[in-house]
């Protein structure tokens, strides 16, 4: 019998929908998140010494991608969605066990708050409310492998779009969210098989809906507005 996985915390991010979440952790460092522990694990002693580290590993659940059965191959989005790779050669969320692993920057350890001890991190690639199973410190001397080979991901690691945001739209985006939104857009949140330059896409970040088009390697922001308010 397998060991039962316990949710120790949940992460609160600005990613309210799956569309727009960075495909890897650490890519959008301007986006901050807060880790709040479940009542049973709100013990500051469990975090003693964690503040000495700059980065941590998060083991978490793909809570929105749980499905019956599994496929031995998947179609990685960065390969256009039409080439198959073995599921264990990818970081696809559709796995036999829906478990994710992310390395994030540890910005602050708050030992006392109204929510108990909390962690402030940046660079997370998780949906708001994602359950976290475990937290471990990142160890540079063993976790970093400078000579590692990245397989097919090496060929697309530098992929990015040039983002154009007209000033009148940029002025409506709060300063604390602007860089993170631009960085998310630069990573191209679209499915890789969609290339219609006239299609308008929508991405939610924090309380804002961001609409944009993509023509070649140019992404143009067309609207930015609060989802529960009128357009700014």
């Amino acid at each position: 019998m397998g060991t039962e996985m316990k949710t120790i915390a949940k992460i609160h991010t600005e990613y309210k929908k799956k569309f727009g979440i960075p495909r890897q952790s650490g890519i959008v460092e301007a986006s901050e998140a807060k880790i709040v522990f479940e009542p049973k694990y709100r013990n500051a002693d469990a975090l003693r010494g964690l503040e000495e580290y700059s980065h941590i590993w998060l083991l978490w659940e793909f809570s929105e991608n749980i499905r019956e059965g599994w496929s031995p191959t998947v179609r990685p989005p960065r390969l256009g969605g039409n080439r198959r790779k073995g599921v264990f050669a990818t970081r696809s969320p559709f796995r036999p066990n829906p478990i994710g692993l992310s390395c994030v920057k540890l910005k602050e350890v708050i030992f006392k708050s109204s929510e108990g001890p909390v962690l402030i991190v940046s660079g997370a690639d998780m949906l708001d409310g994602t359950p976290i199973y475990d937290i471990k410190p990142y160890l540079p001397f063993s976790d970093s492998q400078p000579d590692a080979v990245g397989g097919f991901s090496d060929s697309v690691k530098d992929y990015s779009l040039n983002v154009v945001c007209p000033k009148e739209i940029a002025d409506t985006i709060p300063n604390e969210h602007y860089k993170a939104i631009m960085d998310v857009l630069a990573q191209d949140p679209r499915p890789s098989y969609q290339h219609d330059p006239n299609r308008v896409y929508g991405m939610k970040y924090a309380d804002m809906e961001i609409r944009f088009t993509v023509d070649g390697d140019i992404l143009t922001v067309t609207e930015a507005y609060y989802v529960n308010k009128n357009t700014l």
Side-chain angles (χ1 to χ4, degrees):
M1 180 180 295
T3 301
E4 177 187 358
M5 298 287 281
K6 301 176 178 64
T7 297
I8 65 166
K10 289 184 179 177
I11 190 167
H12 297 282
T13 73
E14 302 293 1
Y15 304 113
K16 311 303 181 183
K17 296 182 179 179
K18 289 187 290 184
F19 186 87
I21 296 177
R23 291 186 170 93
Q24 304 295 339
S25 60
I27 293 178
V28 182
E29 284 202 358
S31 185
E32 290 193 355
K34 179 170 67 172
I35 296 173
V36 178
F37 290 86
E38 295 293 280
K40 181 179 179 180
Y41 301 101
R42 291 181 183 177
N43 188 326
D45 286 342
L47 302 177
R48 190 185 305 170
L50 191 63
E51 73 279 5
E52 300 171 12
Y53 295 89
S54 65
H55 293 74
I56 55 177
W57 290 107
L58 302 178
L59 187 68
W60 49 279
E61 179 187 50
F62 285 105
S63 53
E64 297 297 310
N65 289 300
I66 298 175
R67 59 169 62 175
E68 294 294 329
W70 70 289
S71 172
T73 61
V74 294
R75 296 185 175 93
R78 278 288 183 251
L79 294 182
N82 53 17
R83 292 172 56 190
R84 286 192 171 274
K85 294 288 184 178
V87 65
F88 300 131
T90 75
R91 295 192 177 186
S92 168
F94 302 108
R95 321 184 68 79
N97 291 302
I99 296 174
L101 179 67
S102 296
C103 180
V104 297
K105 185 174 183 178
L106 180 60
K107 304 274 289 187
E108 186 178 5
V109 179
I110 302 174
F111 288 97
K112 293 182 180 181
S113 78
S114 60
E115 300 170 298
V118 300
L119 306 179
I120 306 300
V121 301
S122 66
D125 54 345
M126 287 167 265
L127 189 70
D128 184 45
T130 292
I132 294 177
Y133 290 140
D134 202 4
I135 297 170
K136 298 179 186 294
Y138 175 92
L139 305 179
F141 76 90
S142 61
D143 293 347
S144 177
Q145 302 293 333
D147 298 325
V149 177
F152 73 85
S153 62
D154 277 348
S155 64
V156 294
K157 65 181 179 181
D158 296 324
Y159 176 86
S160 64
L161 297 175
N162 296 306
V163 180
V164 176
C165 185
K167 185 178 185 304
E168 62 271 19
I169 296 177
D171 287 345
T172 68
I173 301 175
N175 290 336
E176 65 267 26
H177 294 322
Y178 183 80
K179 187 177 188 309
I181 289 173
M182 295 302 109
D183 288 351
V184 169
L185 293 175
Q187 292 299 314
D188 193 356
R190 300 174 302 161
S192 295
Y193 55 83
Q194 294 181 352
H195 302 286
D196 182 357
N198 297 313
R199 178 166 181 167
V200 178
Y201 301 88
M203 179 192 80
K204 187 177 180 183
Y205 185 89
D207 295 324
M208 299 200 76
E209 181 80 12
I210 310 296
R211 295 191 177 274
F212 60 92
T213 60
V214 181
D215 188 356
D217 64 350
I218 305 296
L219 183 151
T220 303
V221 180
T222 59
E223 286 185 281
Y225 59 89
Y226 285 103
V227 292
N228 294 322
K229 300 179 182 180
N230 295 327
T231 302
L232 293 173

